[in-house]
Amino acid sequence: MTTFTRYNEDNAPQTAKPLLAATKKAFGFVPNLQGYMAESPELLAGYSALWDLFGKSTLSAHEQQVVYLTNNFENNCHYCMAGHTTLAQMQKMDPAVIDALRDGFELPDPRLEALHQFAKAVVQERGFVGDAAVEQFLAAGFTRQNVLEVILGTATKLLSNYTNHIVHTPLDDFMKGNEWTKPTA
């Protein structure tokens, strides 16, 4: 198994140092994911930019978490599922919605379920969701802009989920209690 280095502000490649400093300022610490991403300052910069842009989207904070948690489930990312569960709890998201997302079940809120199904289709179909799926998503009260914002959230998670799979990112302390293993059918 290839071993990757988890960098910090002191030992990171020079161009990654300001990115890790910004991450630390935003989170109060450097999460393990970003520490590993620092091996490629370009990856870390891309992830940080996409994270910030998705955070500015017209989707609410809870809707953004639905997109993120759906991607984490579909991509079987233990690290991000634990992290976004914690973030969703910090945002006071309905525990029943969080549990359903972690278990792969239908969400109790019809609007969030429509978002969940659309985000799931985007991941599973690699973007080839078809007009019917888009129309169903729009009929649930979302916009064409939201369609494209789901793609932005999916791209963000692609970078983090795939990085975690390859580098075997260990959970951060703040995720304790939210460990996750994808349920089997």
Side-chain angles (χ1 to χ4, degrees):
M1 178 173 98
T2 302
T3 302
F4 287 84
T5 301
R6 183 191 175 281
Y7 291 96
N8 59 45
E9 295 170 84
D10 298 325
N11 67 352
Q14 195 61 38
T15 54
K17 287 181 180 184
L19 298 166
L20 291 180
T23 299
K24 187 174 184 177
K25 183 178 179 184
F27 290 98
F29 67 101
V30 175
N32 290 333
L33 169 64
Q34 284 87 339
Y36 284 106
M37 283 182 163
E39 180 82 29
S40 169
E42 297 76 16
L43 173 65
L44 179 56
Y47 177 72
S48 298
L50 291 178
W51 176 276
D52 291 345
L53 289 168
F54 190 58
K56 295 175 187 175
S57 72
T58 62
L59 294 170
S60 72
H62 288 182
E63 290 168 342
Q64 291 172 29
Q65 289 303 327
V66 169
V67 172
Y68 280 155
L69 287 161
T70 300
N71 273 265
N72 298 337
F73 184 92
E74 293 303 316
N75 290 326
N76 194 14
C77 186
H78 302 91
Y79 179 89
C80 286
M81 185 60 88
H84 283 281
T85 296
T86 304
L87 293 173
Q89 291 166 339
M90 292 168 63
Q91 294 173 354
K92 308 286 188 227
M93 193 171 183
D94 180 352
V97 171
I98 297 170
D99 290 345
L101 287 162
R102 286 172 59 92
D103 295 335
F105 294 146
E106 183 175 329
L107 306 187
D109 178 290
R111 180 177 164 82
L112 292 180
E113 175 59 14
L115 174 59
H116 172 63
Q117 288 303 317
F118 184 71
K120 182 172 153 179
V122 168
V123 175
Q124 289 180 345
E125 302 301 323
R126 298 181 183 175
F128 292 101
V129 297
D131 292 338
V134 172
E135 292 302 322
Q136 187 173 8
F137 183 61
L138 296 174
F142 290 97
T143 66
R144 291 186 314 271
Q145 182 175 351
N146 296 147
V147 169
L148 301 176
E149 290 170 341
V150 168
I151 296 168
L152 176 60
T154 299
T156 306
K157 285 292 96 189
L158 180 92
L159 295 178
S160 61
N161 292 168
Y162 286 17
T163 298
N164 292 320
H165 296 331
I166 291 171
V167 305
H168 308 283
T169 311
L171 298 184
D172 293 291
D173 289 342
F174 84 94
M175 301 173 183
K176 298 288 191 231
N178 287 323
E179 295 83 357
W180 179 80
T181 301
K182 189 171 186 175
T184 56

